[in-house]
Amino acid sequence: MLRLSWNTFTDRWPLFLGAVLTVCLGVALVQSSLLILVSAATAGGEVAEAVTLLALTLGISAFLAVFIVSSTFAFTVAQRRRDLALLRLVGGGRGQVRRLLLSEALLLGVIGTVTGVPLGLLVMRSQAWLLRTLGFVPGEFTPRWQDWILGVSAGIGLAVAVAGVLAASRRAAKVRPLEALRETGEATRVMTGTRWFFGALFLAGATAMAIVSAFVPADGAIALAINTALAAAVALTALSPMVVPLAGRLAGLVLRGPLGRLAEANLRDGVRRSASTAAPLIVLVALLVAQAGALATIAAGARNEQQADLRGDLVVTTTGPADLDVPGVVSVSAQTRLPIAITTRTDEGDGEVDTETEQGVATVVDPAAYAGAHVRGPQSGSLADLTGATIAVGPGFRPVGSTVTARIGDRELDLRIVAVLPETLGGGAEFLLPRDIVPAGLLASAPTESIVRLGPGAEPAALAAHGEVTTVDEWLDRAGAEQQETSTGIMTVIMGLAGLYALIAVINAVVIAATDRRREFAVARVTGLTRGQVVRSAVLESGAVTAIGLVLGGLAASVTLIGISSATGRITGQAVLVVPWGLVAVIVLGAFAVVGATSTWTALSATRPNPVSLTGAAE
């Protein structure tokens, strides 16, 4: 069976080339992300943020590998149904067909793994450079090679390839050979029971996660945003064959002339081909737009939240607290930021105590001045008790009355929690410390931002000698720009290579579709169409398919953005929704350009031979 699989592979290599490429890229992405993740996790707390990002990257890479390889194999097997039908007619049983396809998957997994391992080293260098450039890891950070990764990569390549062909091989073995040869019955049915089941399942899951995201903290909402987009993308991909015929009818209203009618007919007739081409586009748009929109929406909501919370006119930025007792100043709330390590201990029973240390940033304040500069009070407890060996913590950390151990500089103190701060979208303080327990030397060298309220007729210029003076709005705009820069870095790390992978899958689907259309194009030419007209018809068809993928991907992203917008409304009292129109424009123009160029090239290649030789050739 392996010999027959190898002969099939060498004879129909254009169909398998895309599958090999997807397995290769999947192995490379997962291997790279896993190696960097392990290296970062063992490097200590200074790269803790990078560990979280890499864990997300690894999860998305694994999802894309399984999803795209599965859809690619399913399309490849569908393109070969006539070959498989002939194998059945000459005596091959259903089990032999399945073993043939699984053997081919095994070969492709081996080839994809062998090529993916060295490619993964190049991807690892690119990812590490990206993390260093964006400041998520130190400049000297270098991921280390691990010998065990060879076994993991081999397992990933073989498992993804075999898992990708399992469902397709089962369906191919069930099709009756005469139905496949005649293109009737089960062979032509695209919306199978499996598609209906997974489409409904993932659609329900995406809807449930979108609802849940409206009731979780901001960090949880971001994580749910990615999962919601993935689930919605899978659901709409499974259900996309229902949309293709409708899109064909709509295209018929727009596309005029013989070429338009031909493109419309091909679109309605090639439902499987159109759905397979649109699938990677749906995932690409859903991931990129949902993630960018979620980060931008949370950033906008955080700014609105801070603007409503602050009671002040100016912000004076200094190194260490400054004496701002000048004429016209009504109140000053100095907020000094210091790194802090908080250790918590939890009694697990049976004499076991779980100890956990969290790195963070504490804001050193005068409790009365801080309460006067902020509208929102704590969820529980009181800032009036924030004196001596006490601390105020963020929501969900520990209840009032608990004790934690804090390392401030080289001092270690046991602190009692006296207040739990309100939930925020970002930008709020993680921990609050009273000024009297922090050494003066640490305060003198730490960055301090003082919220200043002015009286009538006060001159802001009087504060210029004490530090950098900005209005509250300018200060919030600057903080928002920094957060946007961080968000862009997160997007680049998480979605950069994954988005490229999905884009390559789109090109691959177009190429696979064109390899099986040589005779179709030849028939169109012998009936009177020129080569240029056939190519233009194929490009028109690909444009309609691209539109389907973009619209369905946009719907998947919309489910996520609605959930995030609801979360901002619950936390801040004012729902915010930011759509990344710039990114949307880039994706739309790029998708049409890439798919159009690929369709043109493949159609030109498919129409290069003499049409008479193709129409008369035996299939």
Side-chain angles (χ1 to χ4, degrees):
M1 194 61 69
L2 282 175
R3 181 184 297 274
L4 180 58
S5 299
W6 177 254
N7 290 337
T8 304
F9 176 78
T10 55
D11 183 56
R12 301 292 298 274
W13 64 268
L15 283 178
F16 295 105
L17 184 60
V20 171
L21 181 62
T22 51
V23 173
C24 171
L25 290 174
V27 169
L29 275 173
V30 174
Q31 172 187 292
S32 169
S33 301
L34 189 57
L35 282 175
I36 299 178
L37 176 62
V38 171
S39 299
T42 57
E46 58 183 357
V47 293
E49 190 175 23
V51 170
T52 303
L53 291 179
L54 289 166
L56 287 173
T57 306
L58 179 61
I60 293 174
S61 299
F63 165 80
L64 285 175
V66 174
F67 177 82
I68 293 177
V69 169
S70 298
S71 60
T72 300
F73 269 122
F75 188 30
T76 302
V77 171
Q79 295 290 85
R80 298 173 52 211
R81 57 184 176 270
R82 296 178 67 85
D83 294 348
L84 299 175
L86 289 174
L87 180 62
R88 293 286 308 280
L89 284 175
V90 297
R94 290 183 176 181
Q96 289 175 309
V97 171
R98 293 192 64 184
R99 286 195 296 273
L100 171 66
L101 295 175
L102 290 174
S103 298
E104 291 171 358
L106 185 64
L107 287 173
L108 295 176
V110 171
I111 297 173
T113 300
V114 170
T115 55
V117 169
L119 179 62
L121 296 178
L122 297 177
V123 174
M124 180 179 70
R125 293 178 182 176
S126 300
Q127 278 187 303
W129 171 82
L130 196 60
L131 288 169
R132 289 193 296 266
T133 302
L134 296 173
F136 289 109
V137 295
E140 66 276 7
F141 174 78
T142 302
R144 297 185 300 275
W145 170 261
Q146 308 282 349
D147 290 337
W148 52 260
I149 200 67
L150 290 174
V152 174
S153 298
I156 292 170
L158 295 177
V160 166
V162 173
V165 81
L166 274 177
S169 65
R170 186 182 300 110
R171 183 169 185 268
K174 290 181 178 179
V175 176
R176 297 174 182 175
L178 288 180
E179 289 180 344
L181 289 175
R182 296 174 181 172
E183 300 288 346
T184 61
E186 183 70 20
T188 60
R189 190 160 65 94
V190 181
M191 281 306 300
T192 61
T194 303
R195 272 186 177 271
W196 280 112
F197 173 76
F198 283 106
L201 178 65
F202 279 93
L203 185 60
T207 304
M209 284 188 286
I211 295 173
V212 171
S213 65
F215 301 96
V216 299
D219 291 343
I222 295 176
L224 275 176
I226 299 177
N227 293 327
T228 303
L230 293 178
V234 173
L236 293 177
T237 298
L239 301 175
S240 62
M242 295 193 304
V243 181
V244 173
L246 176 61
R249 286 191 289 271
L250 293 176
L253 300 176
V254 178
L255 303 176
R256 300 297 182 180
L259 297 186
R261 290 195 296 272
L262 179 60
E264 175 196 354
N266 286 333
L267 188 64
R268 287 188 283 108
D269 184 62
V271 173
R272 190 189 306 276
R273 178 177 65 240
S274 300
S276 298
T277 305
L281 272 177
I282 295 172
V283 175
L284 177 65
V285 174
L287 283 177
L288 293 182
V289 175
Q291 181 68 11
L295 291 173
T297 297
I298 289 176
R303 190 198 186 286
N304 292 344
E305 177 187 52
Q306 286 184 289
Q307 189 172 34
D309 181 51
L310 287 177
R311 289 189 290 194
D313 302 304
L314 300 175
V315 178
V316 181
T317 303
T318 58
T319 300
D323 182 9
L324 301 180
D325 185 14
V326 298
V329 172
V330 174
S331 64
V332 177
S333 175
Q335 302 174 174
T336 304
R337 290 177 283 112
L338 291 173
I340 189 174
I342 302 290
T343 300
T344 58
R345 295 175 177 83
T346 304
D347 188 356
E348 300 290 343
D350 300 329
E352 295 185 4
V353 177
D354 180 36
T355 302
E356 184 177 355
T357 300
E358 177 180 332
Q359 304 291 331
V361 176
T363 303
V364 183
V365 299
D366 175 79
Y370 183 86
H374 293 79
V375 175
R376 302 176 68 189
Q379 280 186 359
S380 58
S382 173
L383 293 182
D385 298 328
L386 190 64
T387 181
T390 59
I391 187 173
V393 300
F397 188 76
R398 281 290 191 276
V400 171
S402 303
T403 301
V404 297
T405 301
R407 175 170 290 278
I408 307 169
D410 56 359
R411 297 178 61 192
E412 197 168 272
L413 302 172
D414 289 330
L415 305 178
R416 180 172 57 89
I417 297 175
V418 296
V420 176
L421 301 174
E423 183 182 357
T424 67
L425 283 174
E430 294 182 77
F431 305 100
L432 293 183
L433 292 176
R435 196 171 298 276
D436 54 3
I437 67 170
V438 180
L442 287 179
L443 292 176
S445 58
T448 300
E449 290 149 342
S450 299
I451 311 299
V452 178
R453 293 174 63 190
L454 301 176
E459 292 292 337
L463 298 171
H466 298 272
E468 181 185 359
V469 181
T470 59
T471 66
V472 169
D473 286 340
E474 291 172 343
W475 181 64
L476 292 176
D477 288 339
R478 181 187 302 174
E482 293 176 356
Q483 185 173 357
Q484 183 62 37
E485 183 178 351
T486 302
S487 299
T488 302
I490 293 173
M491 272 286 298
T492 305
V493 172
I494 294 179
M495 299 299 178
L497 293 174
L500 179 62
Y501 186 20
L503 187 62
I504 291 175
V506 174
I507 298 174
N508 173 45
V510 175
V511 172
I512 292 178
T515 58
D516 198 46
R517 303 185 69 183
R518 292 177 180 269
R519 190 169 184 274
E520 175 188 329
F521 290 154
V523 170
R525 291 178 65 188
V526 298
T527 57
L529 294 180
T530 66
R531 184 186 182 192
Q533 288 176 316
V534 172
V535 172
R536 287 196 295 274
S537 175
V539 173
L540 287 175
E541 180 187 346
S542 70
V545 173
T546 303
I548 293 172
L550 293 174
V551 170
L552 293 181
L555 287 176
S558 298
V559 175
T560 297
L561 296 182
I562 291 172
I564 290 293
S565 179
S566 300
T568 63
R570 176 181 58 82
I571 296 173
T572 67
Q574 179 183 359
V576 179
L577 176 60
V578 179
V579 179
W581 292 115
L583 178 63
V584 171
V586 170
I587 292 175
V588 170
L589 295 176
F592 277 108
V594 170
V595 176
T598 307
S599 298
T600 302
W601 173 70
T602 53
L604 286 172
S605 301
T607 55
R608 186 173 292 117
N610 188 311
V612 176
S613 63
L614 291 177
T615 56
E619 295 188 32

